Amino acid sequence: MSELRRYRRRPDQYVVAVPLRLDTDGFIYRKWGAKQQCKPGDWLVDDGGDIHTVDADVFTATYRQIHRGAYVKCTPVWAEVAPEAGSVLTKEGRTSYNRGDVVVFNNEDGTDGYAMTAERFNSRYEPDQ
């Protein structure tokens, strides 16, 4: 892949989220071309209609509340355009991506990754100067 570059979520691009505080062992669902799983305490996130779960520790470390139920990602991400189709292992499962999609990592060392279309990425993130 290409070189990872640093980005920040645009401040007006918030998510709606709630912690999964139910009497459950978690659940399995299908998304991004594979089975995903969540655990008690993980977060159920609505990112502009893209509904998914986020690991509890990751959510707490990377998002801050702006008002009840609304959160903004407050830490940088590192991203690169995928030169070919593939997949990335996430904390919830595996995410498939196509050539030209963006592979995003919460950590500079290329760990804790996920993927999204270039259009979605560019509407939500900007270069972090």
Side-chain angles (χ1 to χ4, degrees):
M1 286 206 180
S2 61
E3 179 182 322
L4 290 176
R5 296 193 180 192
R6 185 176 161 139
Y7 295 85
R8 282 212 175 264
R9 180 99 174 188
R10 296 177 191 274
D12 64 336
Q13 294 295 309
Y14 66 90
V15 301
V16 175
V18 294
L20 185 60
R21 292 187 186 139
L22 302 171
D23 186 11
T24 179
D25 293 330
F27 56 86
I28 295 174
Y29 60 100
R30 270 192 105 41
K31 190 162 184 81
W32 303 304
K35 287 183 182 177
Q36 309 297 315
Q37 60 186 2
C38 69
K39 309 172 297 304
D42 285 356
W43 287 74
L44 185 59
V45 175
D46 179 346
D47 184 2
D50 182 20
I51 313 293
H52 58 279
T53 58
V54 175
D55 178 83
D57 293 336
V58 171
F59 192 89
T60 300
T62 61
Y63 283 84
R64 70 174 170 79
Q65 187 172 20
I66 55 174
H67 56 82
R68 185 178 178 151
Y71 297 81
V72 66
K73 191 158 195 163
C74 57
T75 57
V77 298
W78 288 263
E80 59 191 353
V81 175
E84 58 189 39
S87 66
V88 61
L89 186 61
T90 72
K91 292 192 178 203
E92 293 74 30
R94 185 165 287 282
T95 297
S96 297
Y97 54 84
N98 296 312
R99 180 177 185 245
D101 286 349
V102 179
V103 183
V104 185
F105 301 96
N106 284 321
N107 303 319
E108 187 174 9
D109 65 1
T111 57
D112 193 14
Y114 52 97
M116 63 179 69
T117 64
E119 179 181 6
R120 181 174 279 276
F121 181 81
N122 292 328
S123 71
R124 287 164 171 68
Y125 290 88
E126 60 192 6
D128 187 26
Q129 304 302 332

CSV table of all heavy atoms in Angstrom, one decimal, residues 62-118:
chain,number,residue,atom,x,y,z
A,62,THR,N,-11.2,7.4,21.6
A,62,THR,CA,-11.2,8.2,20.3
A,62,THR,C,-12.3,9.2,20.1
A,62,THR,O,-12.3,10.0,19.2
A,62,THR,CB,-11.1,7.2,19.1
A,62,THR,OG1,-12.2,6.4,19.0
A,62,THR,CG2,-9.8,6.4,19.2
A,63,TYR,N,-13.4,9.1,20.9
A,63,TYR,CA,-14.5,10.0,20.8
A,63,TYR,C,-14.7,10.8,22.0
A,63,TYR,O,-14.4,10.4,23.1
A,63,TYR,CB,-15.8,9.2,20.5
A,63,TYR,CG,-15.9,8.7,19.1
A,63,TYR,CD1,-15.3,7.5,18.7
A,63,TYR,CD2,-16.6,9.4,18.1
A,63,TYR,CE1,-15.4,7.0,17.4
A,63,TYR,CE2,-16.7,8.9,16.8
A,63,TYR,CZ,-16.1,7.7,16.5
A,63,TYR,OH,-16.2,7.2,15.2
A,64,ARG,N,-15.3,12.0,21.8
A,64,ARG,CA,-15.8,12.8,23.0
A,64,ARG,C,-17.2,13.2,22.7
A,64,ARG,O,-17.6,13.5,21.6
A,64,ARG,CB,-14.9,14.0,23.2
A,64,ARG,CG,-14.9,15.1,22.2
A,64,ARG,CD,-14.1,16.3,22.6
A,64,ARG,NE,-14.0,17.2,21.5
A,64,ARG,CZ,-14.9,18.1,21.2
A,64,ARG,NH1,-16.1,18.1,21.8
A,64,ARG,NH2,-14.8,18.9,20.1
A,65,GLN,N,-18.0,13.3,23.8
A,65,GLN,CA,-19.4,13.7,23.7
A,65,GLN,C,-19.5,15.2,23.4
A,65,GLN,O,-18.8,16.0,24.1
A,65,GLN,CB,-20.1,13.3,25.0
A,65,GLN,CG,-21.6,13.5,24.9
A,65,GLN,CD,-22.3,13.0,26.1
A,65,GLN,OE1,-21.7,12.8,27.2
A,65,GLN,NE2,-23.6,12.7,26.0
A,66,ILE,N,-20.4,15.6,22.4
A,66,ILE,CA,-20.6,17.0,22.2
A,66,ILE,C,-22.0,17.4,22.7
A,66,ILE,O,-22.2,18.6,23.0
A,66,ILE,CB,-20.4,17.4,20.7
A,66,ILE,CG1,-21.3,16.5,19.8
A,66,ILE,CG2,-19.0,17.3,20.3
A,66,ILE,CD1,-21.3,16.9,18.3
A,67,HIS,N,-22.9,16.5,22.8
A,67,HIS,CA,-24.2,16.6,23.5
A,67,HIS,C,-24.8,15.2,23.6
A,67,HIS,O,-24.3,14.3,23.0
A,67,HIS,CB,-25.1,17.7,22.9
A,67,HIS,CG,-25.5,17.5,21.5
A,67,HIS,ND1,-26.5,16.6,21.0
A,67,HIS,CD2,-25.0,18.0,20.3
A,67,HIS,CE1,-26.5,16.6,19.7
A,67,HIS,NE2,-25.7,17.5,19.3
A,68,ARG,N,-25.9,15.1,24.4
A,68,ARG,CA,-26.4,13.8,24.6
A,68,ARG,C,-26.6,13.0,23.4
A,68,ARG,O,-27.3,13.4,22.5
A,68,ARG,CB,-27.7,13.9,25.4
A,68,ARG,CG,-28.3,12.6,25.8
A,68,ARG,CD,-29.5,12.7,26.6
A,68,ARG,NE,-30.0,11.4,26.9
A,68,ARG,CZ,-30.7,11.1,27.9
A,68,ARG,NH1,-31.0,12.0,28.8
A,68,ARG,NH2,-31.1,9.8,28.1
A,69,GLY,N,-25.9,11.8,23.3
A,69,GLY,CA,-26.1,10.9,22.2
A,69,GLY,C,-25.2,11.2,21.0
A,69,GLY,O,-25.1,10.4,20.1
A,70,ALA,N,-24.6,12.4,21.0
A,70,ALA,CA,-23.8,12.8,19.8
A,70,ALA,C,-22.3,12.9,20.2
A,70,ALA,O,-22.0,13.5,21.3
A,70,ALA,CB,-24.2,14.2,19.3
A,71,TYR,N,-21.4,12.3,19.4
A,71,TYR,CA,-20.0,12.2,19.7
A,71,TYR,C,-19.2,12.6,18.4
A,71,TYR,O,-19.7,12.4,17.3
A,71,TYR,CB,-19.6,10.8,20.1
A,71,TYR,CG,-20.3,10.4,21.4
A,71,TYR,CD1,-21.7,9.9,21.3
A,71,TYR,CD2,-19.7,10.5,22.6
A,71,TYR,CE1,-22.3,9.6,22.5
A,71,TYR,CE2,-20.4,10.1,23.8
A,71,TYR,CZ,-21.7,9.7,23.7
A,71,TYR,OH,-22.3,9.3,24.9
A,72,VAL,N,-18.0,13.2,18.7
A,72,VAL,CA,-17.1,13.5,17.5
A,72,VAL,C,-15.8,12.8,17.8
A,72,VAL,O,-15.4,12.7,19.0
A,72,VAL,CB,-17.0,15.0,17.4
A,72,VAL,CG1,-16.3,15.6,18.5
A,72,VAL,CG2,-16.3,15.3,16.1
A,73,LYS,N,-15.2,12.3,16.7
A,73,LYS,CA,-13.9,11.6,16.9
A,73,LYS,C,-12.9,12.7,17.1
A,73,LYS,O,-12.8,13.6,16.4
A,73,LYS,CB,-13.6,10.8,15.6
A,73,LYS,CG,-12.4,9.9,15.8
A,73,LYS,CD,-12.4,8.8,14.8
A,73,LYS,CE,-11.4,7.7,15.2
A,73,LYS,NZ,-11.7,6.5,14.6
A,74,CYS,N,-12.2,12.6,18.2
A,74,CYS,CA,-11.3,13.6,18.6
A,74,CYS,C,-9.8,13.3,18.5
A,74,CYS,O,-8.9,14.1,18.9
A,74,CYS,CB,-11.6,14.0,20.1
A,74,CYS,SG,-11.5,12.7,21.3
A,75,THR,N,-9.5,12.1,18.0
A,75,THR,CA,-8.1,11.7,17.8
A,75,THR,C,-7.8,11.6,16.3
A,75,THR,O,-8.7,11.3,15.5
A,75,THR,CB,-7.8,10.4,18.5
A,75,THR,OG1,-8.7,9.4,18.0
A,75,THR,CG2,-8.0,10.5,20.0
A,76,PRO,N,-6.6,11.7,15.9
A,76,PRO,CA,-6.3,11.6,14.5
A,76,PRO,C,-6.3,10.1,14.0
A,76,PRO,O,-6.3,9.2,14.9
A,76,PRO,CB,-4.8,12.1,14.4
A,76,PRO,CG,-4.2,11.9,15.7
A,76,PRO,CD,-5.4,12.1,16.7
A,77,VAL,N,-6.4,9.9,12.7
A,77,VAL,CA,-6.3,8.6,12.1
A,77,VAL,C,-5.3,8.7,11.1
A,77,VAL,O,-4.9,9.8,10.6
A,77,VAL,CB,-7.7,8.2,11.5
A,77,VAL,CG1,-8.8,8.0,12.6
A,77,VAL,CG2,-8.1,9.1,10.4
A,78,TRP,N,-4.8,7.5,10.6
A,78,TRP,CA,-3.8,7.4,9.6
A,78,TRP,C,-4.5,6.6,8.5
A,78,TRP,O,-5.1,5.6,8.8
A,78,TRP,CB,-2.5,6.8,10.1
A,78,TRP,CG,-1.8,7.7,11.0
A,78,TRP,CD1,-0.7,8.5,10.6
A,78,TRP,CD2,-2.0,8.0,12.4
A,78,TRP,NE1,-0.3,9.2,11.7
A,78,TRP,CE2,-1.1,8.9,12.8
A,78,TRP,CE3,-3.0,7.5,13.3
A,78,TRP,CZ2,-1.1,9.4,14.1
A,78,TRP,CZ3,-2.9,8.0,14.6
A,78,TRP,CH2,-2.0,9.0,15.0
A,79,ALA,N,-4.4,7.1,7.2
A,79,ALA,CA,-5.1,6.4,6.2
A,79,ALA,C,-4.3,6.4,4.9
A,79,ALA,O,-3.3,7.1,4.7
A,79,ALA,CB,-6.4,7.2,5.9
A,80,GLU,N,-4.7,5.4,4.0
A,80,GLU,CA,-4.1,5.3,2.7
A,80,GLU,C,-5.2,4.7,1.7
A,80,GLU,O,-6.1,4.0,2.1
A,80,GLU,CB,-2.9,4.3,2.8
A,80,GLU,CG,-3.2,2.9,3.3
A,80,GLU,CD,-2.0,2.1,3.6
A,80,GLU,OE1,-0.9,2.6,3.3
A,80,GLU,OE2,-2.2,1.0,4.1
A,81,VAL,N,-5.0,5.1,0.5
A,81,VAL,CA,-5.9,4.6,-0.6
A,81,VAL,C,-5.4,3.2,-1.0
A,81,VAL,O,-4.2,2.9,-1.1
A,81,VAL,CB,-5.9,5.5,-1.8
A,81,VAL,CG1,-6.7,4.9,-2.9
A,81,VAL,CG2,-6.4,6.9,-1.4
A,82,ALA,N,-6.4,2.2,-1.0
A,82,ALA,CA,-6.1,0.9,-1.4
A,82,ALA,C,-5.8,0.7,-2.9
A,82,ALA,O,-6.6,1.1,-3.7
A,82,ALA,CB,-7.3,0.0,-1.0
A,83,PRO,N,-4.6,0.2,-3.2
A,83,PRO,CA,-4.3,0.1,-4.7
A,83,PRO,C,-5.0,-1.1,-5.3
A,83,PRO,O,-5.0,-1.2,-6.5
A,83,PRO,CB,-2.7,-0.1,-4.6
A,83,PRO,CG,-2.5,-0.7,-3.3
A,83,PRO,CD,-3.5,-0.1,-2.4
A,84,GLU,N,-5.5,-2.0,-4.5
A,84,GLU,CA,-6.2,-3.2,-5.0
A,84,GLU,C,-7.2,-3.6,-3.9
A,84,GLU,O,-7.1,-3.2,-2.7
A,84,GLU,CB,-5.3,-4.3,-5.3
A,84,GLU,CG,-4.4,-4.8,-4.2
A,84,GLU,CD,-3.4,-5.8,-4.6
A,84,GLU,OE1,-2.8,-5.6,-5.7
A,84,GLU,OE2,-3.1,-6.7,-3.8
A,85,ALA,N,-8.2,-4.4,-4.3
A,85,ALA,CA,-9.2,-4.9,-3.3
A,85,ALA,C,-8.5,-5.8,-2.3
A,85,ALA,O,-7.5,-6.4,-2.5
A,85,ALA,CB,-10.3,-5.7,-4.1
A,86,GLY,N,-9.1,-5.9,-1.1
A,86,GLY,CA,-8.6,-6.7,0.0
A,86,GLY,C,-9.5,-6.6,1.2
A,86,GLY,O,-10.7,-6.3,1.0
A,87,SER,N,-8.9,-6.9,2.3
A,87,SER,CA,-9.7,-6.8,3.6
A,87,SER,C,-8.8,-6.5,4.7
A,87,SER,O,-7.6,-6.7,4.6
A,87,SER,CB,-10.5,-8.1,3.8
A,87,SER,OG,-9.6,-9.2,4.1
A,88,VAL,N,-9.3,-6.0,5.8
A,88,VAL,CA,-8.6,-5.6,7.0
A,88,VAL,C,-9.3,-6.2,8.1
A,88,VAL,O,-10.5,-6.2,8.2
A,88,VAL,CB,-8.4,-4.1,7.1
A,88,VAL,CG1,-9.7,-3.4,7.2
A,88,VAL,CG2,-7.5,-3.7,8.2
A,89,LEU,N,-8.5,-6.8,9.1
A,89,LEU,CA,-9.1,-7.4,10.3
A,89,LEU,C,-9.3,-6.3,11.3
A,89,LEU,O,-8.5,-5.4,11.5
A,89,LEU,CB,-8.1,-8.4,10.9
A,89,LEU,CG,-8.6,-9.2,12.1
A,89,LEU,CD1,-9.8,-10.0,11.7
A,89,LEU,CD2,-7.5,-10.1,12.6
A,90,THR,N,-10.6,-6.2,11.8
A,90,THR,CA,-11.0,-5.2,12.7
A,90,THR,C,-11.2,-5.9,14.1
A,90,THR,O,-11.2,-7.1,14.2
A,90,THR,CB,-12.2,-4.4,12.3
A,90,THR,OG1,-13.3,-5.3,12.4
A,90,THR,CG2,-12.1,-3.9,10.9
A,91,LYS,N,-11.5,-5.1,15.1
A,91,LYS,CA,-11.8,-5.6,16.4
A,91,LYS,C,-13.2,-6.3,16.4
A,91,LYS,O,-13.5,-7.1,17.3
A,91,LYS,CB,-11.8,-4.6,17.5
A,91,LYS,CG,-10.3,-4.1,17.7
A,91,LYS,CD,-10.2,-3.3,18.9
A,91,LYS,CE,-8.7,-2.9,19.1
A,91,LYS,NZ,-8.3,-2.6,20.4
A,92,GLU,N,-14.0,-6.0,15.4
A,92,GLU,CA,-15.3,-6.6,15.3
A,92,GLU,C,-15.4,-7.7,14.3
A,92,GLU,O,-16.4,-8.5,14.4
A,92,GLU,CB,-16.4,-5.5,14.9
A,92,GLU,CG,-16.6,-4.4,15.9
A,92,GLU,CD,-15.5,-3.4,16.1
A,92,GLU,OE1,-14.8,-3.1,15.1
A,92,GLU,OE2,-15.3,-2.9,17.2
A,93,GLY,N,-14.5,-7.8,13.4
A,93,GLY,CA,-14.5,-8.9,12.4
A,93,GLY,C,-13.5,-8.5,11.3
A,93,GLY,O,-12.4,-8.1,11.5
A,94,ARG,N,-14.0,-8.7,10.1
A,94,ARG,CA,-13.1,-8.4,8.9
A,94,ARG,C,-14.0,-7.4,8.0
A,94,ARG,O,-15.2,-7.7,7.8
A,94,ARG,CB,-12.8,-9.6,8.2
A,94,ARG,CG,-11.8,-9.4,7.0
A,94,ARG,CD,-11.2,-10.7,6.5
A,94,ARG,NE,-10.2,-11.2,7.4
A,94,ARG,CZ,-8.9,-10.7,7.5
A,94,ARG,NH1,-8.5,-9.7,6.8
A,94,ARG,NH2,-8.0,-11.3,8.3
A,95,THR,N,-13.3,-6.4,7.4
A,95,THR,CA,-13.9,-5.5,6.5
A,95,THR,C,-13.3,-5.6,5.1
A,95,THR,O,-12.1,-5.5,5.0
A,95,THR,CB,-13.8,-4.0,7.0
A,95,THR,OG1,-14.5,-3.9,8.3
A,95,THR,CG2,-14.4,-3.1,6.0
A,96,SER,N,-14.1,-5.9,4.1
A,96,SER,CA,-13.6,-5.9,2.8
A,96,SER,C,-13.6,-4.6,2.2
A,96,SER,O,-14.5,-3.7,2.5
A,96,SER,CB,-14.5,-6.9,1.9
A,96,SER,OG,-14.5,-8.2,2.4
A,97,TYR,N,-12.7,-4.3,1.2
A,97,TYR,CA,-12.7,-3.0,0.5
A,97,TYR,C,-12.3,-3.3,-0.9
A,97,TYR,O,-11.7,-4.3,-1.3
A,97,TYR,CB,-11.7,-2.0,1.2
A,97,TYR,CG,-10.3,-2.6,1.4
A,97,TYR,CD1,-9.3,-2.5,0.4
A,97,TYR,CD2,-9.9,-3.1,2.6
A,97,TYR,CE1,-8.0,-3.0,0.6
A,97,TYR,CE2,-8.6,-3.6,2.8
A,97,TYR,CZ,-7.7,-3.5,1.8
A,97,TYR,OH,-6.4,-4.0,2.0
A,98,ASN,N,-12.6,-2.3,-1.7
A,98,ASN,CA,-12.3,-2.3,-3.2
A,98,ASN,C,-11.1,-1.4,-3.5
A,98,ASN,O,-10.7,-0.5,-2.7
A,98,ASN,CB,-13.5,-1.9,-4.0
A,98,ASN,CG,-14.6,-2.8,-3.8
A,98,ASN,OD1,-14.5,-4.0,-4.0
A,98,ASN,ND2,-15.8,-2.3,-3.6
A,99,ARG,N,-10.5,-1.6,-4.6
A,99,ARG,CA,-9.5,-0.7,-5.1
A,99,ARG,C,-10.0,0.7,-5.1
A,99,ARG,O,-11.1,1.0,-5.5
A,99,ARG,CB,-9.1,-1.1,-6.5
A,99,ARG,CG,-8.0,-0.2,-7.1
A,99,ARG,CD,-7.6,-0.7,-8.5
A,99,ARG,NE,-6.5,0.0,-9.0
A,99,ARG,CZ,-6.6,0.8,-10.1
A,99,ARG,NH1,-7.7,0.9,-10.8
A,99,ARG,NH2,-5.6,1.5,-10.4
A,100,GLY,N,-9.2,1.7,-4.5
A,100,GLY,CA,-9.6,3.1,-4.5
A,100,GLY,C,-10.3,3.4,-3.2
A,100,GLY,O,-10.5,4.6,-2.9
A,101,ASP,N,-10.8,2.4,-2.4
A,101,ASP,CA,-11.3,2.7,-1.1
A,101,ASP,C,-10.2,3.2,-0.2
A,101,ASP,O,-9.0,3.1,-0.5
A,101,ASP,CB,-12.0,1.5,-0.5
A,101,ASP,CG,-13.3,1.2,-1.1
A,101,ASP,OD1,-13.9,2.0,-1.9
A,101,ASP,OD2,-13.9,0.0,-0.9
A,102,VAL,N,-10.5,3.6,1.0
A,102,VAL,CA,-9.5,4.1,2.0
A,102,VAL,C,-9.5,3.2,3.2
A,102,VAL,O,-10.5,2.8,3.8
A,102,VAL,CB,-9.9,5.6,2.4
A,102,VAL,CG1,-8.8,6.0,3.4
A,102,VAL,CG2,-9.9,6.5,1.2
A,103,VAL,N,-8.3,2.7,3.5
A,103,VAL,CA,-8.0,1.9,4.7
A,103,VAL,C,-7.5,2.9,5.8
A,103,VAL,O,-6.6,3.6,5.5
A,103,VAL,CB,-7.0,0.8,4.4
A,103,VAL,CG1,-6.8,-0.1,5.6
A,103,VAL,CG2,-7.4,0.0,3.2
A,104,VAL,N,-8.2,2.8,6.9
A,104,VAL,CA,-8.0,3.8,8.0
A,104,VAL,C,-7.6,3.1,9.2
A,104,VAL,O,-8.0,2.0,9.5
A,104,VAL,CB,-9.3,4.6,8.3
A,104,VAL,CG1,-9.1,5.7,9.3
A,104,VAL,CG2,-10.0,5.1,7.0
A,105,PHE,N,-6.6,3.7,10.0
A,105,PHE,CA,-6.1,3.1,11.2
A,105,PHE,C,-6.2,4.1,12.3
A,105,PHE,O,-5.9,5.3,12.1
A,105,PHE,CB,-4.7,2.7,11.0
A,105,PHE,CG,-4.5,1.7,9.9
A,105,PHE,CD1,-4.1,2.1,8.6
A,105,PHE,CD2,-4.7,0.3,10.1
A,105,PHE,CE1,-4.0,1.2,7.6
A,105,PHE,CE2,-4.6,-0.6,9.1
A,105,PHE,CZ,-4.2,-0.2,7.8
A,106,ASN,N,-6.6,3.6,13.5
A,106,ASN,CA,-6.7,4.5,14.7
A,106,ASN,C,-5.3,4.8,15.2
A,106,ASN,O,-5.1,5.7,15.9
A,106,ASN,CB,-7.6,3.9,15.8
A,106,ASN,CG,-9.0,4.1,15.5
A,106,ASN,OD1,-9.4,5.2,15.0
A,106,ASN,ND2,-9.8,3.1,15.7
A,107,ASN,N,-4.3,3.9,14.9
A,107,ASN,CA,-3.0,4.0,15.4
A,107,ASN,C,-2.0,4.2,14.3
A,107,ASN,O,-2.1,3.6,13.2
A,107,ASN,CB,-2.6,2.8,16.2
A,107,ASN,CG,-3.6,2.5,17.3
A,107,ASN,OD1,-4.0,3.4,18.0
A,107,ASN,ND2,-4.0,1.3,17.5
A,108,GLU,N,-1.0,5.0,14.5
A,108,GLU,CA,0.0,5.4,13.5
A,108,GLU,C,0.8,4.2,13.0
A,108,GLU,O,1.3,4.2,11.9
A,108,GLU,CB,1.0,6.4,14.1
A,108,GLU,CG,2.0,7.0,13.1
A,108,GLU,CD,2.8,8.1,13.7
A,108,GLU,OE1,2.8,8.3,14.9
A,108,GLU,OE2,3.5,8.7,12.9
A,109,ASP,N,0.9,3.1,13.8
A,109,ASP,CA,1.6,1.9,13.4
A,109,ASP,C,0.8,1.0,12.5
A,109,ASP,O,1.2,-0.1,12.2
A,109,ASP,CB,2.1,1.2,14.7
A,109,ASP,CG,1.0,0.6,15.5
A,109,ASP,OD1,-0.2,0.8,15.2
A,109,ASP,OD2,1.3,0.0,16.6
A,110,GLY,N,-0.4,1.5,12.1
A,110,GLY,CA,-1.2,0.7,11.2
A,110,GLY,C,-2.0,-0.4,11.8
A,110,GLY,O,-2.4,-1.4,11.2
A,111,THR,N,-2.3,-0.2,13.1
A,111,THR,CA,-3.2,-1.2,13.8
A,111,THR,C,-4.5,-0.5,14.1
A,111,THR,O,-4.7,0.7,14.0
A,111,THR,CB,-2.5,-1.6,15.1
A,111,THR,OG1,-2.2,-0.5,16.0
A,111,THR,CG2,-1.2,-2.4,14.9
A,112,ASP,N,-5.4,-1.4,14.5
A,112,ASP,CA,-6.8,-1.0,14.8
A,112,ASP,C,-7.4,-0.3,13.5
A,112,ASP,O,-7.8,0.9,13.5
A,112,ASP,CB,-6.9,-0.1,16.0
A,112,ASP,CG,-8.4,0.1,16.5
A,112,ASP,OD1,-9.2,-0.7,16.0
A,112,ASP,OD2,-8.6,1.0,17.3
A,113,GLY,N,-7.5,-1.1,12.5
A,113,GLY,CA,-8.0,-0.6,11.2
A,113,GLY,C,-9.4,-0.9,10.8
A,113,GLY,O,-10.1,-1.7,11.4
A,114,TYR,N,-9.8,-0.2,9.8
A,114,TYR,CA,-11.1,-0.4,9.2
A,114,TYR,C,-11.1,0.2,7.8
A,114,TYR,O,-10.0,0.8,7.4
A,114,TYR,CB,-12.3,0.2,10.0
A,114,TYR,CG,-12.1,1.7,10.4
A,114,TYR,CD1,-12.7,2.7,9.7
A,114,TYR,CD2,-11.3,2.0,11.5
A,114,TYR,CE1,-12.5,4.1,10.1
A,114,TYR,CE2,-11.1,3.3,11.9
A,114,TYR,CZ,-11.7,4.4,11.2
A,114,TYR,OH,-11.6,5.7,11.6
A,115,ALA,N,-12.1,0.1,7.0
A,115,ALA,CA,-12.1,0.7,5.6
A,115,ALA,C,-13.4,1.3,5.3
A,115,ALA,O,-14.5,1.0,5.9
A,115,ALA,CB,-11.8,-0.4,4.6
A,116,MET,N,-13.4,2.3,4.3
A,116,MET,CA,-14.6,2.9,3.8
A,116,MET,C,-14.3,3.4,2.4
A,116,MET,O,-13.2,3.5,2.0
A,116,MET,CB,-15.0,4.1,4.8
A,116,MET,CG,-14.0,5.2,4.9
A,116,MET,SD,-14.6,6.6,6.0
A,116,MET,CE,-14.5,5.8,7.5
A,117,THR,N,-15.4,3.8,1.7
A,117,THR,CA,-15.2,4.3,0.4
A,117,THR,C,-14.5,5.6,0.5
A,117,THR,O,-14.6,6.3,1.5
A,117,THR,CB,-16.6,4.5,-0.3
A,117,THR,OG1,-17.3,5.5,0.4
A,117,THR,CG2,-17.4,3.2,-0.4
A,118,ALA,N,-13.8,6.0,-0.6
A,118,ALA,CA,-13.1,7.2,-0.7
A,118,ALA,C,-14.1,8.4,-0.5
A,118,ALA,O,-13.8,9.4,0.1
A,118,ALA,CB,-12.3,7.3,-2.0
